[in-house]
Amino acid sequence: MQNSNISESLTYLTDEPDINTLRYAYDQTVTELESYFDLCRTSYDDRRNWWPGKSRDHRKHGADAFPWEGASDMECHVIDERITRLVSLFMSALKRANIRAFPVESSDIARSKLVSGFLKWMVSSGYIPRFYREMELGANYLLERGVLITYVGWQREDRRFLQQLNLNQIAEISPEVAQAIQDGDNDEELIILLQATFEGTTDNRAKKALNDLRKNGAAELPVVRRQVNAPEVKTLAPDGDFFFPPYVTDPQRAPYCFWRTYYTAQELENKVITEGWDEGFVQMVIDKYRGVNIDSIEREQEGRRSISLTDNAYEAEELIEITYAYQRLVDKEDGSEGIYCTVFHRDFSGDETTQGYAKFELLNGYEDYPVVVTKISEDSKRLYDVTTVPSVLRGIQNQVKVERDSRIDRNSLATLPPILHPLGQAQSD
């Protein structure tokens, strides 16, 4: 793939996205961020006291055991204790925060009080789902990995469920439809009425419902029972969920960025109806790319370690990986910029019958990417050139561990001194 073609596709707006270029940019971004992923791996291990050869009895075993077999190999949770305390402090400050909207003009004074009250209610009432949970996760990411990435958007979703309805229940929803079923003989018009009243009803479902209603007096029809229309806040792992190019200094000036997430087949089917995803693409990824390795999810770019000291990798057969690509593209015609979102799968570029993306759209009204990025400290221009709490406290934690191990070994020698004997002449019990 020529560099000029890649730059052209990643800079200028076209009628359809170049999926091959996006896949190349995604792979290159993940590869070049390997040094930051190494930092996250090390920070994760240090916080959770994981090291090669660790045993459940906190003793050293094997040929590399030093100073002897069974010597002390204790844990020391200096880093975890400090991060946990800081996270608790952050959450306490957030819950006690006095959220206020300040007026811009004198005419905004009365409205600012109303907006302030609405903001407090929105945070405390649960209107933003899982808000405090996401903020606690974000505080852990910030301290442990040095970068906090928060997605801020709006969630619109209609969850449809099949429900058995009789003529009386249908009359409560739409008296016209119930009357038409009882009096009408034109099935085509009745099918259109059913589809207009019960959104998402297919032709086959409508025909079957008509037959069941006339025969049994009841039928199964899709009904919207859970409707979501609320703000959405998500904390994204900087080493596994959301990626910027490694050279970025200002995230909002990046030419592109990627969000990797996972859906079930049911959720993807719902995206077709509620968000207009391409049905052919959804069926393709469900049939061909269902199933991901849970180990890769939990470790987030292989950064996770097994706390149980065993390999806990297994296949999640019902999950499907989906990637969102956000791009700042320029229209050649008038030079205007826009934030565009492409939904694709990193292993599928399309074929003769199916396009390679689920959706390609302009994020209307957006001037920036829909994420807020926070660094633990502004001591370097580059986003991923960060210092984490584990990297600062690593030496102190190791020092405490060495001192603790030496004291335990010294007490072991005092309690049960070694028995010395000539070579080959061990004393019997």
Side-chain angles (χ1 to χ4, degrees):
M1 188 177 294
Q2 297 181 357
N3 291 332
S4 59
N5 294 334
I6 295 175
S7 300
E8 183 88 7
S9 299
L10 296 176
T11 304
Y12 297 105
L13 176 64
T14 55
D15 293 335
E16 292 188 356
D18 188 339
I19 301 301
N20 287 323
T21 300
L22 288 177
R23 291 176 56 195
Y24 173 81
Y26 176 88
D27 293 338
Q28 185 182 39
T29 299
V30 172
T31 301
E32 293 178 350
L33 285 175
E34 185 60 33
S35 60
Y36 175 71
F37 296 156
D38 285 338
L39 173 66
C40 294
R41 293 187 190 102
T42 304
S43 295
Y44 183 92
D45 294 344
D46 289 338
R47 180 181 180 183
R48 291 156 182 81
N49 280 256
W50 189 95
W51 55 84
K54 181 179 179 180
S55 61
R56 296 181 185 275
D57 61 355
H58 295 161
R59 294 286 179 176
K60 298 176 182 177
H61 301 286
D64 297 331
F66 182 84
W68 57 76
E69 173 73 17
S72 175
D73 196 21
M74 295 298 295
E75 295 179 346
C76 182
H77 293 278
V78 173
I79 295 174
D80 183 57
E81 183 273 335
R82 187 64 56 85
I83 291 180
T84 302
R85 180 184 298 179
L86 289 174
V87 170
S88 300
L89 181 64
F90 290 173
M91 295 304 299
S92 177
L94 177 62
K95 292 179 180 180
R96 296 182 181 183
N98 183 21
I99 303 175
R100 295 184 60 186
F102 291 94
V104 178
E105 300 176 353
S106 59
S107 59
D108 298 332
I109 295 177
R111 182 172 176 79
S112 67
K113 296 180 181 179
L114 179 63
V115 174
S116 297
F118 175 73
L119 291 175
K120 293 177 182 178
W121 170 83
M122 187 169 57
V123 171
S124 61
S125 66
Y127 180 58
I128 303 177
R130 306 178 302 278
F131 177 75
Y132 286 112
R133 177 184 175 185
E134 296 293 335
M135 292 301 99
E136 183 176 353
L137 179 62
N140 278 279
Y141 282 167
L142 178 65
L143 297 172
E144 181 182 318
R145 306 175 196 184
V147 178
L148 165 61
I149 301 177
T150 307
Y151 169 81
V152 181
W154 196 273
Q155 183 180 12
R156 293 183 179 89
E157 186 179 47
D158 292 336
R159 299 299 300 274
R160 293 176 175 82
F161 297 87
L162 283 178
Q163 183 173 341
Q164 191 173 54
L165 302 173
N166 55 37
L167 281 174
N168 293 331
Q169 292 173 317
I170 293 176
E172 294 177 1
I173 299 174
S174 177
E176 296 81 3
V177 174
Q179 188 65 33
I181 292 174
Q182 292 176 340
D183 301 338
D185 296 327
N186 191 338
D187 286 355
E188 293 183 0
E189 292 183 0
L190 289 175
I191 289 173
I192 295 174
L193 281 174
L194 283 175
Q195 291 177 331
T197 304
F198 300 96
E199 187 177 352
T201 304
T202 63
D203 291 342
N204 292 333
R205 172 73 63 183
K207 292 177 182 178
K208 184 177 183 300
L210 282 177
N211 294 331
D212 291 342
L213 285 169
R214 290 166 176 166
K215 182 178 180 181
N216 305 321
E220 292 183 349
L221 290 166
V223 177
V224 177
R225 292 172 54 187
R226 187 189 307 165
Q227 189 172 29
V228 180
N229 191 8
E232 184 178 26
V233 177
K234 288 186 177 181
T235 296
L236 307 178
D239 61 333
D241 293 336
F242 206 94
F243 313 111
F244 287 96
Y247 54 79
V248 163
T249 57
D250 181 359
Q252 297 300 341
R253 293 178 56 197
Y256 52 82
C257 50
F258 300 97
W259 177 13
R260 184 186 68 167
T261 187
Y262 301 90
Y263 291 109
T264 62
Q266 294 87 337
E267 290 173 327
L268 289 180
E269 293 283 4
N270 187 261
K271 294 287 186 182
V272 175
I273 299 174
T274 59
E275 298 186 18
W277 284 22
D278 182 73
E279 186 174 1
F281 173 88
V282 169
Q283 291 300 325
M284 172 61 72
V285 296
I286 290 176
D287 295 338
K288 301 294 184 181
Y289 300 102
R290 178 185 294 197
V292 295
N293 190 298
I294 281 293
D295 187 56
S296 65
I297 301 175
E298 293 299 324
R299 295 193 178 192
E300 294 166 356
Q301 296 298 325
E302 300 301 324
R304 294 292 190 180
R305 301 296 188 185
S306 171
I307 300 176
S308 63
L309 308 179
T310 58
D311 188 5
N312 60 352
Y314 59 92
E315 291 294 326
E317 297 181 355
E318 299 305 319
L319 289 182
I320 302 162
E321 180 179 325
I322 294 294
T323 304
Y324 291 78
Y326 297 98
Q327 295 176 270
R328 187 180 294 275
L329 299 177
V330 178
D331 193 332
K332 285 185 177 181
E333 184 175 349
D334 55 10
S336 58
E337 289 187 9
I339 303 296
Y340 290 82
C341 176
T342 306
V343 183
F344 68 102
H345 192 283
R346 63 173 177 170
D347 294 328
F348 179 65
S349 299
D351 53 28
E352 296 80 5
T353 58
T354 307
Q355 65 184 32
Y357 58 94
K359 194 174 185 179
F360 175 64
E361 65 175 346
L362 168 68
L363 299 183
N364 192 26
Y366 280 72
E367 298 179 0
D368 296 319
Y369 296 118
V371 292
V372 178
V373 182
T374 306
K375 290 177 61 177
I376 191 171
S377 64
E378 294 294 340
D379 56 354
S380 175
K381 286 187 175 182
R382 290 179 64 247
L383 173 63
Y384 292 105
D385 189 6
V386 293
T387 300
T388 64
V389 171
S391 64
V392 173
L393 297 178
R394 182 177 300 118
I396 298 176
Q397 178 165 291
N398 290 339
Q399 181 183 9
V400 175
K401 172 179 168 50
V402 169
E403 181 66 24
R404 185 174 295 177
D405 286 342
S406 66
R407 290 186 180 184
I408 294 176
D409 290 340
R410 191 182 305 117
N411 289 335
S412 298
L413 288 176
T415 303
L416 185 63
I419 299 176
L420 304 179
H421 58 82
L423 182 64
Q425 300 180 15
Q427 297 181 6
S428 62
D429 295 338

